[in-house]
Amino acid sequence: MSVSALPDPTDLAGLRARLDAIPGRERRPIGLQRVRIAPDALDHLVAEVAAVRAPGAVVILEDETPMRRGSADLKDLVEALLSAAFPTSRVILRADGAELHADAAAIAQA
């Protein structure tokens, strides 16, 4: 049995190419410029958002899956960091089935 390596999640050009290769799928760019995966990623969150932010509130879209960083709730931590710097709102998207997908139903919830 062959095991293929997972793609690098920080390779956005590669991700775009893979998505473009899916027949019958149309994608609309959302402006994602970088994915930071590092132990200190949260230390850069406010600066990263400030660099790309448009006027108005920062909207945090999230699913219902609990996430922890040490003993803290990661999603609460993200909200606390962002709301200390910007007007912020938080939207929890609920999955119809076992998984949440960025589809019309999820977008309608936002």
Side-chain angles (χ1 to χ4, degrees):
M1 174 167 61
S2 169
V3 176
S4 61
L6 293 174
D8 176 359
T10 64
D11 177 11
L12 296 180
L15 173 61
R16 289 182 185 105
R18 287 190 306 279
L19 292 173
D20 286 342
I22 299 172
R25 294 291 208 155
E26 179 184 334
R27 71 174 178 88
R28 294 183 292 171
I30 61 169
L32 185 63
Q33 297 174 357
R34 176 183 10 254
V35 174
R36 184 185 294 263
I37 300 175
D40 66 345
L42 285 178
D43 297 340
H44 301 275
L45 179 63
V46 170
E48 295 279 0
V49 170
V52 298
R53 179 178 172 257
V58 171
V59 179
I60 304 166
L61 298 175
E62 61 187 63
D63 66 4
E64 297 178 290
T65 305
M67 294 183 181
R68 310 234 28 107
R69 178 168 180 135
S71 62
D73 180 300
L74 178 60
K75 294 174 182 181
D76 288 345
L77 182 56
V78 166
E79 181 182 29
L81 290 168
L82 292 176
S83 66
F86 315 109
T88 305
S89 65
R90 189 171 176 179
V91 177
I92 300 172
L93 302 174
R94 289 168 171 69
D96 286 335
E99 297 179 346
L100 178 65
H101 295 276
D103 57 15
I107 292 167
Q109 288 183 61

